[in-house]
Amino acid sequence: MERRFSLLDGRGWLNVRESQGRAECCGELPDDKKGLYKGWLLGPEGRVLLGTFVPEEGVLRLTRTLGRAELERQGGWPPVGAEAALTYRVQRGAPSRPAPPGWTWTAHPAQLLGEPLLVRAAGKGGALLRREEGGFTLAYPFRTDRPFPLTPLFCFARVTRLEGAYYAAFPFRAGGCPRPE
């Protein structure tokens, strides 16, 4: 069996080839120099982390061989899809830690917001982004000895801990308008 899955809206791909109880997963993405991308194999009952795409000959590549039994145990067999996500943005001012599972770093969260007051309040710093049905959530690093992020939405914030760090999380509708929870 051999399957090919599209990644990042057709900009990349992941091939899965089964042979003798093993699944060979090979993928490729363009090297956009934005940071580290991770890849997952999607199964009927789970999502299996394959690893990190690494720079090689001008592109990003991922090669991983896993036992079919292990993929079945994790709900990733038979494969029904694949996904790749930017999990660590490499740029000036970017956080020094990878994004928690289910989140990505966005350097310009203000571009997602629909209200000029919120765009100004978002400033120039980065935030975590989690896309959701009907909208998204932005999570800004939070510390009590620093100004509160996105002050106009103070009452919408939920301070939460992700991977050992605190964030002020703000839910939004698809157009960038605040969404009460």
Side-chain angles (χ1 to χ4, degrees), residues 54-69:
V54 295
E56 188 179 303
E57 299 176 359
V59 296
L60 299 174
R61 289 201 174 113
L62 170 66
T63 303
R64 180 87 188 268
T65 302
L66 296 164
R68 180 177 163 177

Side-chain angles (χ1 to χ4, degrees), residues 2 23 67 71 98 100 139 159 161-162:
E2 188 161 347
L71 289 170
V159 176
R161 192 170 181 165
L162 300 168

Side-chain angles (χ1 to χ4, degrees), residues 30 58 73 129 133 142:
R73 188 185 69 72
L129 169 65
E133 187 176 324
F142 172 74

Side-chain angles (χ1 to χ4, degrees), residues 35-156:
L36 297 178
Y37 287 84
K38 292 205 181 274
W40 290 267
L41 184 62
L42 307 177
E45 297 178 27
R47 180 176 180 231
V48 180
L49 178 64
L50 296 175
T52 303
F53 285 82
V54 295
E56 188 179 303
E57 299 176 359
V59 296
L60 299 174
R61 289 201 174 113
L62 170 66
T63 303
R64 180 87 188 268
T65 302
L66 296 164
R68 180 177 163 177
E70 179 59 22
L71 289 170
E72 286 173 346
R73 188 185 69 72
Q74 293 184 47
W77 195 265
V80 296
E83 73 181 33
L86 179 64
T87 57
Y88 179 79
R89 185 173 288 277
V90 178
Q91 65 181 46
R92 191 173 55 121
S96 60
R97 62 185 167 275
W103 296 84
T104 57
W105 286 104
T106 177
H108 307 287
Q111 294 175 345
L112 299 168
L113 305 178
E115 167 63 41
L117 172 68
L118 298 179
V119 170
R120 285 191 303 278
K124 297 186 193 299
L128 288 172
L129 169 65
R130 182 180 66 207
R131 300 239 182 234
E132 301 154 352
E133 187 176 324
F136 59 93
T137 295
L138 290 175
Y140 289 85
F142 172 74
R143 288 182 40 184
T144 57
D145 62 342
R146 300 244 169 102
F148 193 84
L150 219 51
T151 308
L153 296 180
F154 176 83
C155 54
F156 286 100

